[in-house]
Amino acid sequence: MKKRIITGSLILIVEALFILSRLYTAYAFDMFVGLLAIVGSVEVCRVMERKRLFVNIPIVSCFTAVIYVALLLGIKQDRDWHFYLLYFIIAILALFVINFLIAVIFKGPTERERDRYGVRVSNAKYGLQRGMNSSFVMVYPAILFASMFVISHFFEFYFVNSWNFANTNLIVVFFLVLLFIVTIFTDTFALVFGMLIGGPKLCPRISPKKTISGAVGGFVFGTLGGLLTYFLFSFNKVFKEGISLFGIKWWNILIVSLICAIVCQVGDLIASALKRSARVKDYGTIFPGHGGVMDRVDGLVCNSLVVAISMFIIM
């Protein structure tokens, strides 16, 4: 428990520093998210391989960079929102085709790889299967990580009206803090209430330790954490001016927090289901006492998509 607390505290400090750096530049936070995305994607690949769902890890690792470059190019060229959706689809399809062609063209290395894994299918079928598995990881978790890039660069999209507000960085930081606070509160209080109250299990086949009482506690305090974040930021006059200009109300943040507190736990269950199907306890060992990157951000990456969509809706 001591190791877990120390590691958790260090993780929180690092997260806070990178979020605060967003007040001055977007790129430090982008590097932080990019590193998490690459490590998290590789962890999911390793878990899938335990299920004999083989993945082209180098291609999957490159996908985060491809998304980021597409995002920055779209911003530079003042593209509309549907172009970004098209970019992501094209990137997934292109890397799928490349994955397939590698297996077909480079027969020797592919055959050696199949022999190492004990796969008895043709190179073409193996390349097709590996391409589909790689595409899955490009969506989960890579695309979800991309949502944090969208939040960080929100006011750089030409179709987003900034109302000539000079301190848009503060609004972005608010939504990033909201994202992390709701996720942390939901995870923490779900654990606390589950240990203190116990009771019926939430999904015993997927995650035997999760309880209904823990889910309710996480939901309530995750939502309250979102509201607390809003009211604390409201003490800042510049922030108050900004939310008034953008028409952001407290009940908007309440709804976003409610949805995030639910989605966070759903994301946790999805990650647990994937681990359980592969019969592994953790995604990795990079964080002593906490497991891997995906063990820490399973709810966060799902919530980032909710927050990104919410920003487009309420502003």
Side-chain angles (χ1 to χ4, degrees), residues 35-49 55-62 64 137 140-142 145 283-284 293-294:
L35 180 60
L36 291 180
I38 292 171
V39 176
S41 297
V42 171
E43 288 176 349
V44 173
C45 290
R46 295 300 187 193
V47 168
M48 290 182 68
E49 287 181 349
V55 181
N56 191 317
I57 293 179
I59 285 182
V60 169
S61 300
C62 291
T64 300
V137 183
Y140 179 85
F145 273 110
Y283 277 99
V293 167
M294 284 305 296

Short mmCIF file of all heavy atoms in Angstrom, two decimals, residues 35-49 55-62 64 137 140-142 145 283-284 293-294:
data_model
loop_
_atom_site.label_atom_id
_atom_site.label_comp_id
_atom_site.label_asym_id
_atom_site.label_seq_id
_atom_site.Cartn_x
_atom_site.Cartn_y
_atom_site.Cartn_z
N LEU A 35 3.32 10.30 -25.40
CA LEU A 35 4.08 9.22 -24.77
C LEU A 35 3.13 8.21 -24.11
O LEU A 35 3.31 6.99 -24.25
CB LEU A 35 5.03 9.81 -23.72
CG LEU A 35 5.91 8.81 -22.96
CD1 LEU A 35 6.80 8.04 -23.93
CD2 LEU A 35 6.74 9.51 -21.90
N LEU A 36 2.11 8.72 -23.42
CA LEU A 36 1.12 7.82 -22.81
C LEU A 36 0.41 6.99 -23.87
O LEU A 36 0.16 5.79 -23.67
CB LEU A 36 0.09 8.63 -22.02
CG LEU A 36 0.54 9.35 -20.75
CD1 LEU A 36 -0.62 10.10 -20.13
CD2 LEU A 36 1.13 8.36 -19.74
N ALA A 37 0.08 7.63 -25.00
CA ALA A 37 -0.64 6.94 -26.07
C ALA A 37 0.19 5.80 -26.65
O ALA A 37 -0.32 4.70 -26.89
CB ALA A 37 -1.03 7.93 -27.16
N ILE A 38 1.47 6.07 -26.87
CA ILE A 38 2.34 5.03 -27.44
C ILE A 38 2.50 3.86 -26.48
O ILE A 38 2.32 2.70 -26.85
CB ILE A 38 3.71 5.63 -27.81
CG1 ILE A 38 3.57 6.61 -28.96
CG2 ILE A 38 4.70 4.52 -28.17
CD1 ILE A 38 4.82 7.41 -29.27
N VAL A 39 2.82 4.16 -25.22
CA VAL A 39 3.01 3.10 -24.22
C VAL A 39 1.70 2.34 -24.00
O VAL A 39 1.68 1.11 -23.95
CB VAL A 39 3.53 3.67 -22.89
CG1 VAL A 39 3.64 2.57 -21.84
CG2 VAL A 39 4.89 4.34 -23.09
N GLY A 40 0.59 3.08 -23.88
CA GLY A 40 -0.70 2.44 -23.67
C GLY A 40 -1.10 1.54 -24.83
O GLY A 40 -1.62 0.44 -24.63
N SER A 41 -0.84 1.99 -26.05
CA SER A 41 -1.17 1.19 -27.23
C SER A 41 -0.34 -0.09 -27.28
O SER A 41 -0.86 -1.16 -27.61
CB SER A 41 -0.95 2.01 -28.51
OG SER A 41 -1.81 3.12 -28.56
N VAL A 42 0.94 0.02 -26.95
CA VAL A 42 1.81 -1.17 -26.93
C VAL A 42 1.33 -2.15 -25.85
O VAL A 42 1.33 -3.37 -26.07
CB VAL A 42 3.28 -0.77 -26.69
CG1 VAL A 42 4.14 -2.01 -26.45
CG2 VAL A 42 3.82 0.02 -27.88
N GLU A 43 0.90 -1.63 -24.70
CA GLU A 43 0.40 -2.50 -23.63
C GLU A 43 -0.84 -3.27 -24.09
O GLU A 43 -0.96 -4.47 -23.82
CB GLU A 43 0.08 -1.67 -22.39
CG GLU A 43 1.29 -1.16 -21.66
CD GLU A 43 0.94 -0.27 -20.48
OE1 GLU A 43 -0.24 0.12 -20.35
OE2 GLU A 43 1.84 0.05 -19.68
N VAL A 44 -1.74 -2.59 -24.79
CA VAL A 44 -2.93 -3.27 -25.30
C VAL A 44 -2.53 -4.32 -26.34
O VAL A 44 -3.10 -5.42 -26.37
CB VAL A 44 -3.93 -2.25 -25.91
CG1 VAL A 44 -5.09 -2.97 -26.61
CG2 VAL A 44 -4.48 -1.33 -24.83
N CYS A 45 -1.54 -3.99 -27.17
CA CYS A 45 -1.04 -4.97 -28.16
C CYS A 45 -0.52 -6.23 -27.47
O CYS A 45 -0.81 -7.35 -27.91
CB CYS A 45 0.08 -4.35 -28.99
SG CYS A 45 -0.44 -3.06 -30.14
N ARG A 46 0.25 -6.05 -26.40
CA ARG A 46 0.81 -7.20 -25.68
C ARG A 46 -0.29 -8.08 -25.08
O ARG A 46 -0.20 -9.31 -25.08
CB ARG A 46 1.75 -6.71 -24.57
CG ARG A 46 2.98 -5.99 -25.07
CD ARG A 46 3.84 -6.87 -25.96
NE ARG A 46 5.10 -6.24 -26.30
CZ ARG A 46 5.90 -6.68 -27.26
NH1 ARG A 46 5.58 -7.75 -27.97
NH2 ARG A 46 7.04 -6.06 -27.51
N VAL A 47 -1.32 -7.42 -24.54
CA VAL A 47 -2.44 -8.18 -23.97
C VAL A 47 -3.17 -8.95 -25.06
O VAL A 47 -3.56 -10.12 -24.88
CB VAL A 47 -3.41 -7.24 -23.22
CG1 VAL A 47 -4.71 -7.97 -22.87
CG2 VAL A 47 -2.75 -6.71 -21.95
N MET A 48 -3.35 -8.33 -26.22
CA MET A 48 -4.02 -9.01 -27.33
C MET A 48 -3.21 -10.20 -27.82
O MET A 48 -3.77 -11.24 -28.20
CB MET A 48 -4.26 -8.02 -28.47
CG MET A 48 -5.32 -6.97 -28.15
SD MET A 48 -5.64 -5.84 -29.51
CE MET A 48 -6.40 -6.95 -30.70
N GLU A 49 -1.89 -10.06 -27.81
CA GLU A 49 -1.04 -11.18 -28.22
C GLU A 49 -1.17 -12.37 -27.28
O GLU A 49 -1.04 -13.51 -27.71
CB GLU A 49 0.41 -10.72 -28.32
CG GLU A 49 0.70 -9.83 -29.52
CD GLU A 49 2.15 -9.40 -29.61
OE1 GLU A 49 2.90 -9.62 -28.62
OE2 GLU A 49 2.54 -8.86 -30.65
N VAL A 55 -0.54 -8.40 -33.50
CA VAL A 55 -0.62 -6.99 -33.89
C VAL A 55 0.74 -6.53 -34.40
O VAL A 55 1.78 -7.00 -33.94
CB VAL A 55 -1.04 -6.13 -32.68
CG1 VAL A 55 -1.14 -4.67 -33.07
CG2 VAL A 55 -2.36 -6.63 -32.10
N ASN A 56 0.71 -5.62 -35.38
CA ASN A 56 1.96 -5.02 -35.85
C ASN A 56 2.27 -3.82 -34.95
O ASN A 56 1.77 -2.70 -35.18
CB ASN A 56 1.82 -4.58 -37.31
CG ASN A 56 3.15 -4.20 -37.93
OD1 ASN A 56 3.96 -3.52 -37.29
ND2 ASN A 56 3.40 -4.64 -39.15
N ILE A 57 3.07 -4.06 -33.93
CA ILE A 57 3.31 -3.03 -32.91
C ILE A 57 3.99 -1.77 -33.47
O ILE A 57 3.59 -0.65 -33.11
CB ILE A 57 4.12 -3.62 -31.73
CG1 ILE A 57 3.25 -4.65 -30.99
CG2 ILE A 57 4.56 -2.52 -30.77
CD1 ILE A 57 3.93 -5.32 -29.83
N PRO A 58 5.00 -1.88 -34.36
CA PRO A 58 5.60 -0.64 -34.90
C PRO A 58 4.60 0.25 -35.61
O PRO A 58 4.63 1.48 -35.46
CB PRO A 58 6.67 -1.17 -35.87
CG PRO A 58 7.03 -2.52 -35.32
CD PRO A 58 5.75 -3.08 -34.79
N ILE A 59 3.69 -0.34 -36.39
CA ILE A 59 2.69 0.45 -37.10
C ILE A 59 1.72 1.09 -36.13
O ILE A 59 1.37 2.28 -36.24
CB ILE A 59 1.94 -0.42 -38.14
CG1 ILE A 59 2.84 -0.68 -39.34
CG2 ILE A 59 0.64 0.26 -38.58
CD1 ILE A 59 2.20 -1.48 -40.44
N VAL A 60 1.28 0.33 -35.14
CA VAL A 60 0.37 0.86 -34.12
C VAL A 60 1.03 2.02 -33.37
O VAL A 60 0.39 3.03 -33.08
CB VAL A 60 -0.07 -0.25 -33.14
CG1 VAL A 60 -0.79 0.34 -31.93
CG2 VAL A 60 -0.97 -1.25 -33.84
N SER A 61 2.32 1.86 -33.06
CA SER A 61 3.04 2.91 -32.33
C SER A 61 3.15 4.19 -33.14
O SER A 61 3.14 5.29 -32.58
CB SER A 61 4.45 2.41 -31.97
OG SER A 61 4.38 1.25 -31.15
N CYS A 62 3.22 4.07 -34.47
CA CYS A 62 3.32 5.24 -35.33
C CYS A 62 1.99 5.98 -35.47
O CYS A 62 1.96 7.15 -35.85
CB CYS A 62 3.79 4.83 -36.74
SG CYS A 62 5.50 4.27 -36.82
N THR A 64 -0.22 7.18 -33.41
CA THR A 64 -0.40 8.39 -32.61
C THR A 64 0.26 9.59 -33.28
O THR A 64 -0.33 10.68 -33.32
CB THR A 64 0.20 8.20 -31.20
OG1 THR A 64 -0.46 7.10 -30.56
CG2 THR A 64 0.00 9.45 -30.36
N VAL A 137 -6.62 -1.56 -32.14
CA VAL A 137 -5.81 -0.78 -31.18
C VAL A 137 -5.72 0.68 -31.62
O VAL A 137 -5.61 1.58 -30.79
CB VAL A 137 -4.40 -1.40 -31.02
CG1 VAL A 137 -3.59 -0.64 -29.99
CG2 VAL A 137 -4.50 -2.86 -30.63
N TYR A 140 -8.97 1.83 -30.10
CA TYR A 140 -8.87 1.73 -28.64
C TYR A 140 -7.50 1.20 -28.28
O TYR A 140 -7.20 0.02 -28.56
CB TYR A 140 -9.94 0.80 -28.06
CG TYR A 140 -9.84 0.66 -26.54
CD1 TYR A 140 -10.46 1.58 -25.71
CD2 TYR A 140 -9.10 -0.37 -25.96
CE1 TYR A 140 -10.36 1.47 -24.33
CE2 TYR A 140 -8.99 -0.49 -24.58
CZ TYR A 140 -9.63 0.43 -23.78
OH TYR A 140 -9.51 0.33 -22.40
N PRO A 141 -6.62 2.03 -27.72
CA PRO A 141 -6.92 3.35 -27.14
C PRO A 141 -6.45 4.56 -27.93
O PRO A 141 -6.63 5.68 -27.49
CB PRO A 141 -6.13 3.28 -25.83
CG PRO A 141 -4.90 2.52 -26.22
CD PRO A 141 -5.32 1.50 -27.24
N ALA A 142 -5.84 4.36 -29.12
CA ALA A 142 -5.15 5.48 -29.79
C ALA A 142 -6.08 6.64 -30.12
O ALA A 142 -5.76 7.81 -29.83
CB ALA A 142 -4.47 4.97 -31.06
N PHE A 145 -7.02 8.58 -27.03
CA PHE A 145 -5.95 9.48 -26.60
C PHE A 145 -5.97 10.76 -27.44
O PHE A 145 -5.68 11.86 -26.94
CB PHE A 145 -4.58 8.81 -26.74
CG PHE A 145 -4.17 8.00 -25.54
CD1 PHE A 145 -4.12 6.63 -25.59
CD2 PHE A 145 -3.82 8.63 -24.35
CE1 PHE A 145 -3.74 5.87 -24.49
CE2 PHE A 145 -3.43 7.90 -23.24
CZ PHE A 145 -3.39 6.52 -23.30
N TYR A 283 -1.89 -4.40 -17.20
CA TYR A 283 -1.41 -4.15 -18.56
C TYR A 283 0.10 -4.06 -18.62
O TYR A 283 0.71 -4.29 -19.66
CB TYR A 283 -2.03 -2.86 -19.11
CG TYR A 283 -3.41 -3.06 -19.67
CD1 TYR A 283 -4.54 -2.74 -18.93
CD2 TYR A 283 -3.59 -3.57 -20.96
CE1 TYR A 283 -5.81 -2.93 -19.46
CE2 TYR A 283 -4.86 -3.76 -21.48
CZ TYR A 283 -5.97 -3.44 -20.73
OH TYR A 283 -7.23 -3.63 -21.24
N GLY A 284 0.71 -3.68 -17.51
CA GLY A 284 2.16 -3.54 -17.49
C GLY A 284 2.67 -3.39 -16.07
O GLY A 284 1.93 -3.59 -15.11
N VAL A 293 0.35 1.80 -17.94
CA VAL A 293 -0.30 3.06 -18.29
C VAL A 293 -1.81 2.86 -18.43
O VAL A 293 -2.61 3.62 -17.89
CB VAL A 293 0.28 3.61 -19.61
CG1 VAL A 293 -0.60 4.73 -20.16
CG2 VAL A 293 1.70 4.13 -19.39
N MET A 294 -2.22 1.80 -19.13
CA MET A 294 -3.65 1.59 -19.36
C MET A 294 -4.40 1.24 -18.07
O MET A 294 -5.61 1.46 -17.99
CB MET A 294 -3.86 0.49 -20.40
CG MET A 294 -3.60 0.93 -21.82
SD MET A 294 -4.57 2.38 -22.32
CE MET A 294 -6.23 1.73 -22.21
#
